[in-house]
Every structure is written in structure tokens, then in C-alpha cells.
Amino acid sequence: MTIKFFNNPEKLWKLVGLMIDGAGTTLSIFFLTLLLSVPLGMLVALGRMSKRRIVRAPISFYIYIMRSTPLMLQIMFIYFLLPMILPFRVDRFWAVIFSFVINYAAYFAEIFRSGIQSIPQGQYEAAKVLGYTKGQTFFRIILPQVIKRVLLPVCNEVITLIKDTALASTVAVVDLMTVAKKQVSSSSSIEPYLVAIIMYLILNGVAEQLCKLAERKMDYYR
């Protein structure tokens, strides 16, 4: 391995600066995906549990497609093939966001569905006796318990999402991984990948600590 950065502080700091800029895009993908996919996942979960087959069947098929095909192929399909169908071209960044959102919404939907279905039916009946509406029952009684029960698998998906953001480089979105690849190619050194590994470790470390904090905050539901 040719050492071009670690023995040259000036080059190393320049590399780190470029990687931080790429990490900004990585974080944008991460936060936008969570912001949009979590509520969408809840809506999909409710549709998945619908008693109406006309609602349940297409949603089940959508979840099957999203969970059975690689996210990389979904990104490529949306960015390269959709413009052949649509009258306009999708911006590469928003193509990535759309791909991540519909993919992760499917996974979150199954997590939320399992959480909702794990709540005993007696709680619904007790809420009805107490005069709660369906909306009040869901948001005041069911949802807080569901959040507690699904917190761990959701946190696992959050950590996976940070790593999956590297797939944005598939369509040349300038994220952390794309910057690392360009620097490796131009310098013929593997050091940029080592810096990228450290940054991903830091991002995942922060996410893990936030998840642990959330778990402690939810302890009162024991």
C-alpha cells in the first residue's frame, strides 16, 4: 500500500475535509429516509392489516417486491429506467431518496405490523368500554406500547440504513463512499477507504448511543 496521506498531515486534513463534505450528503440521505419512511411504514402497516383484500393484496405485493430485490437494483431501476416511462428525468439525489424511502418503508411496515398485532385484543376491548374512540385507542394506548416493542428492530434498521447509504454511489451521488472511491482512484492509495471506515464507525456509534438513550427513555413501559 502506498502511504500518501497518513504521513502528510496537510494532505490528510484535506482528505478529511472532502470526506466530511461527502458525509454531509450521507447524513442528508439518512435523515430524509427516516423522516419519510417511518410514517409511510406505519401507513403501509395499517394497510397491510386491512380487512379489505383490495387494499391488503397490492400492499402485500409491494412489500414482497421491496424485500425480495436488492436495494441497489431498485436505485438503478428508478434512476435509469423510470425516465423511459416518465416525461422527465429524475434528479439522481432524489432518485436515491425515493428508492430508500419505499424500500425502508416496506421493512418498517412489517416491524410495525408485528408490533401492533402483538398487543392483546383485550386492550382494544377495554378501551372501547372506557369510551375511547378508535383514534384515541390507537394513539394513546396502542402506539406507545408498539413503539416500545419495536424499538430494537427499528434501531437495527437505522444502523443498517447508515451503511446502506453507500449504495448512493451506484448512481454517482457524491456521498461519503463516492468521495472515498474517487480519492482511492486518483491517489492509488487505500487510505481514503480507511478514513471512510472510521467515519462510518463514528456515525454508527452515535446512532447506537441514541438508540440506547431511546431504550432507557422507554423503560417506564415495562
Side-chain angles (χ1 to χ4, degrees):
M1 179 184 71
T2 304
I3 299 177
K4 294 188 177 181
F5 297 97
F6 290 168
N7 63 351
N8 188 325
E10 185 178 348
K11 285 187 176 181
L12 180 60
W13 282 115
K14 185 177 180 180
L15 172 65
V16 171
L18 292 171
M19 301 287 270
I20 289 174
D21 288 341
T25 303
T26 293
L27 289 174
S28 296
I29 296 170
F30 172 76
F31 284 118
L32 283 171
T33 299
L34 279 185
L35 181 65
L36 299 172
S37 64
V38 170
L40 178 59
M42 180 60 72
L43 291 175
V44 173
L46 295 175
R48 175 75 170 79
M49 295 184 294
S50 174
K51 295 179 180 179
R52 298 181 178 180
R53 183 175 176 81
I54 194 172
V55 175
R56 187 177 67 252
I59 289 179
S60 298
F61 183 68
Y62 150 71
I63 292 175
Y64 172 74
I65 293 294
M66 291 297 105
R67 298 179 69 195
S68 301
T69 58
L71 177 55
M72 180 184 292
L73 284 180
Q74 295 168 20
I75 294 172
M76 294 175 70
F77 175 84
I78 289 171
Y79 182 68
F80 292 111
L81 297 183
L82 274 190
M84 298 179 183
I85 303 172
L86 300 176
F88 57 88
R89 187 167 188 83
V90 183
D91 176 78
R92 66 181 74 239
F93 177 79
W94 291 108
V96 167
I97 296 300
F98 183 68
S99 304
F100 273 78
V101 168
I102 61 173
N103 178 276
Y104 271 82
Y107 283 91
F108 284 136
E110 288 299 272
I111 292 173
F112 294 149
R113 182 175 68 88
S114 65
I116 294 171
Q117 291 180 335
S118 70
I119 305 299
Q121 188 62 32
Q123 296 200 28
Y124 293 91
E125 296 170 355
K128 186 176 181 180
V129 170
L130 292 173
Y132 282 85
T133 64
K134 289 184 177 180
Q136 290 173 328
T137 299
F138 182 76
F139 286 105
R140 294 186 182 182
I141 299 175
I142 305 303
L143 187 58
Q145 297 180 73
V146 169
I147 293 174
K148 167 65 177 177
R149 297 187 183 200
V150 305
L151 189 58
L152 182 57
V154 165
C155 285
N156 289 336
E157 289 298 321
V158 167
I159 291 172
T160 300
L161 172 58
I162 293 177
K163 295 182 290 183
D164 278 351
T165 56
L167 294 175
S169 62
T170 304
V171 291
V173 170
V174 187
D175 70 326
L176 177 56
M177 193 63 189
T178 304
V179 174
K181 286 181 179 180
K182 287 182 178 178
Q183 291 302 310
V184 168
S185 178
S186 63
S187 66
S188 299
S189 170
I190 201 173
E191 291 164 291
Y193 282 149
L194 298 178
V195 176
I197 288 172
I198 293 171
M199 288 190 171
Y200 279 116
L201 287 172
I202 292 172
L203 293 175
N204 270 309
V206 172
E208 186 175 353
Q209 292 305 312
L210 290 175
C211 286
K212 288 181 179 179
L213 177 62
E215 288 178 12
R216 289 196 295 270
K217 291 291 185 181
M218 298 296 292
D219 278 348
Y220 61 86
Y221 280 113
R222 286 181 177 176

